[in-house]
Every structure is written in structure tokens, then in C-alpha cells.
Amino acid sequence: EREVSEHDGVVDIVVQSVEKESDNEPVTLRLHVDVRNSEGAYFRNPHTLVSTSRGPWMSSAAIQDEFSKVTVLTSWETSVHSPQEGILEVSILKENESFPTNNDGVRRIRVILEDVNMLHDKMTEHFPSSYAKVMIQDFVDPLELFY
């Protein structure tokens, strides 16, 4: 079961449960984006460049070409990588792993989509833009949580 919402130029995905056909199969979210990151080049954990309190318990990756940048954040430690050009993969469940059943078991993913603008930001794969910094901060340390 999942929810997908879009706001402020980001896509938020909330995975609440996963039904697996077999326990020894991994569950992976594969995102196809129109970014030409040659040979699957990506930058690992760009969220660590933003000052947060929960950053060490997350995972993230960013890919970029001359026109666009895509950053994917997860609310848990997992594998986020780009196996080939224009693809980002997030490991939801590893082999023989079951989905957590407690309240902390909800897995959140944020996808930040942005145009490259070298005039206003020192925006590289390694360094987040001012917009991405705000969106990362909001994901990691939200001002308010609504239940």
C-alpha cells in the first residue's frame, strides 16, 4: 500500500506496507527520469551536506545533467543508486527482510526535481541548490507533523 503526492516541486511517496510473493525476493522502486547521467554516474548521500538532526539515519542519491537534477531521499537507511543512465533505484526491502509492523514502519521517499540554474546557485551533483536544501531540511526535520 502506498500514497503518492506532489507539492512544491517535489514528489512524496509513503509506503505503508508491501505484499511480497516470496520472502527471498527483494522489493525495489525503479524511477525512470529524463536525465542523461553518463554511465549511471550519481552522487551518494547529498543530504549530509545539509545541517539536520536525523541525517545519519537516512539515505539519498542525486543525478544531474546540464539541464536537470533529480535527488531521491529515503527516511531509512537503504541502497539508493543509479544502475544506468536515467534510472534511480531505491531498495524498499532486501532479500529475506519483512516490512516493519510498528508505527515506525512507514517508509517515506522524497523525489526533488529541479532545473539546473548555474546563474543563481552553485548547483552541482555534489552541492545542493538553495531550493534542494530547503526541501531536504523539510523532509528530514519537518517543522510540524500531522497525524
Side-chain angles (χ1 to χ4, degrees):
E1 186 175 321
R2 62 173 165 66
E3 288 179 28
V4 178
S5 61
E6 185 274 330
H7 61 90
D8 300 325
V10 301
V11 177
D12 284 332
I13 303 167
V14 178
V15 180
Q16 297 168 341
S17 66
V18 173
E19 293 181 22
K20 293 172 64 170
E21 292 181 18
S22 170
D23 283 341
N24 57 358
E25 288 184 20
V27 176
T28 303
L29 173 67
R30 178 175 266 206
L31 302 169
H32 293 263
V33 293
D34 193 21
V35 174
R36 293 187 176 97
N37 58 319
S38 60
E39 298 177 11
Y42 70 100
F43 182 65
R44 190 176 292 196
N45 294 325
H47 74 275
T48 59
L49 300 173
V50 178
S51 177
T52 62
S53 62
R54 289 186 50 240
W57 297 283
M58 300 179 44
S59 298
S60 63
I63 61 174
Q64 178 178 330
D65 64 12
E66 61 272 11
F67 304 108
S68 305
K69 181 174 183 176
V70 177
T71 305
V72 176
L73 307 158
T74 66
S75 63
W76 75 101
E77 288 184 271
T78 190
S79 169
V80 183
H81 69 283
S82 178
Q84 63 190 54
E85 184 176 301
I87 295 176
L88 279 159
E89 287 186 347
V90 178
S91 176
I92 305 292
L93 291 175
K94 297 179 175 90
E95 287 183 25
N96 299 319
E97 182 183 15
S98 59
F99 201 82
T101 55
N102 59 6
N103 289 340
D104 297 332
V106 173
R107 297 194 167 179
R108 298 181 314 120
I109 301 165
R110 173 164 283 181
V111 181
I112 303 171
L113 310 163
E114 51 190 328
D115 294 331
V116 173
N117 187 345
M118 296 296 190
L119 181 63
H120 294 101
D121 276 307
K122 178 187 165 189
M123 187 170 156
T124 67
E125 268 187 347
H126 308 287
F127 196 77
S129 67
S130 54
Y131 167 74
K133 285 180 187 177
V134 171
M135 293 297 110
I136 291 169
Q137 187 91 38
D138 176 61
F139 183 75
V140 178
D141 296 323
L143 291 175
E144 274 186 77
L145 293 175
F146 299 96
Y147 294 100

